[in-house]
Amino acid sequence: AQSVAQPEDQVNVAEGNPLTVKCTYSVSGNPYLFWYVQYPNRGLQFLLKYITGDNLVKGSYGFEAEFNKSQTSFHLKKPSALVSDSALYFCAVRALSGGSYIPTFGRGTSLIVHP
Amino acid sequence: GAGVSQSPRYKVAKRGQDVALRCDPISGHVSLFWYQQALGQGPEFLTYFQNEAQLDKSGLPSDRFFAERPEGSVSTLKIQRTQQEDSAVYLCASSLEWTANTEAFFGQGTRLTVV
């Protein structure tokens, strides 16, 4: 069975500092990896994805993520955090399992950016 | 509207009551997903449609849960004889294509409370 781990329930960072939200995964085959963000009273919004090719993926709002196959990780990063980045972030994976590509989500990480 | 629309936004049901949750995906989107999200957890996959075909329903927790998408657009998730453990936010998401590397667009969810 495939799984996604987001080891930190909450990440605190000062505005202007770099941020990292961690994600590791466990799958049998090749993964498709996604990051979504959820603002209060809003649905989950797509940020970026890794399909194949370049391990560094760039997405919306200045976010990027690095796919590391050996460490089975897909950490979300941003060079300079904004207060408006404060939200709930979810990592997700889709890989072939039992003949289907069922999406599996992590439990989420709350990012708090302090002014 | 341009996004995924779910109704009702909130539903309170008495234990044993049947409920129906509606999802209007983005027009033209082929794939439609239902998820269950408990408090403090990530979305858990319930079922998946490609057009009107239900391709995977392995995440439905019991035979009290039933989903349909008869014309390949609007979908309904029905829960019969609701139990307290069914209390959660039910999320619907749609994707433009059927491929596993395609990102999903989420609705705001229906919060179901069983009393």
Side-chain angles (χ1 to χ4, degrees):
Chain A
Q2 60 190 36
S3 64
V4 174
Q6 293 182 242
E8 301 152 319
D9 288 339
Q10 185 172 301
V11 169
N12 291 278
V13 64
E15 188 174 32
N17 283 1
L19 69 88
T20 299
V21 182
K22 296 180 180 177
C23 171
T24 59
Y25 64 90
S26 174
V27 299
S28 300
N30 292 320
Y32 300 119
L33 293 153
F34 303 82
W35 276 101
Y36 291 87
V37 60
Q38 186 174 32
Y39 299 100
N41 298 315
R42 302 280 296 275
L44 276 75
Q45 297 176 30
F46 169 75
L47 269 182
L48 50 77
K49 65 181 176 182
Y50 171 81
I51 303 174
T52 187
D54 194 350
N55 289 341
L56 185 63
V57 178
K58 294 186 183 298
S60 307
Y61 312 121
F63 284 93
E64 58 189 29
E66 186 167 11
F67 172 65
N68 188 317
K69 187 173 183 178
S70 62
Q71 296 185 5
T72 62
S73 67
F74 189 57
H75 301 330
L76 181 70
K77 301 181 180 184
K78 188 174 182 181
S80 178
L82 299 173
V83 172
S84 57
D85 293 329
S86 299
L88 194 54
Y89 290 81
F90 291 95
C91 179
V93 66
R94 292 188 76 179
L96 188 61
S97 175
S100 184
Y101 282 88
I102 293 175
T104 299
F105 282 77
R107 61 183 293 165
T109 298
S110 177
L111 173 66
I112 300 174
V113 181
H114 302 276
Chain B
V4 177
S5 178
Q6 292 188 246
S7 60
R9 287 291 314 281
Y10 304 93
K11 176 70 179 178
V12 177
K14 292 184 178 179
R15 192 173 60 172
Q17 187 179 358
D18 297 350
V19 298
L21 312 180
R22 178 186 170 103
C23 174
D24 281 89
I26 295 173
S27 178
H29 277 200
V30 169
S31 299
L32 186 146
F33 302 82
W34 283 100
Y35 296 89
Q36 182 188 61
Q37 186 175 22
L39 191 63
Q41 302 295 319
E44 291 279 347
F45 171 81
L46 293 177
T47 186
Y48 155 62
F49 291 86
Q50 182 178 317
N51 295 310
E52 68 278 4
Q54 189 173 21
L55 297 189
D56 194 309
K57 55 181 182 180
S58 61
L60 296 176
S62 77
D63 58 7
R64 297 186 294 104
F65 286 71
F66 172 77
E68 60 183 4
R69 194 186 184 197
E71 298 179 357
S73 56
V74 172
S75 177
T76 304
L77 176 67
K78 297 179 179 178
I79 308 173
Q80 297 177 324
R81 305 181 303 281
T82 52
Q83 303 295 316
Q84 283 191 318
E85 61 263 28
D86 300 334
S87 295
V89 176
Y90 290 85
L91 301 175
C92 175
S94 68
S95 295
L96 179 61
E97 299 176 358
W98 61 269
T99 50
N101 59 15
T102 306
E103 62 271 22
F105 294 80
F106 282 78
Q108 289 186 268
T110 295
R111 182 178 296 278
L112 173 65
T113 303
V114 181
V115 298

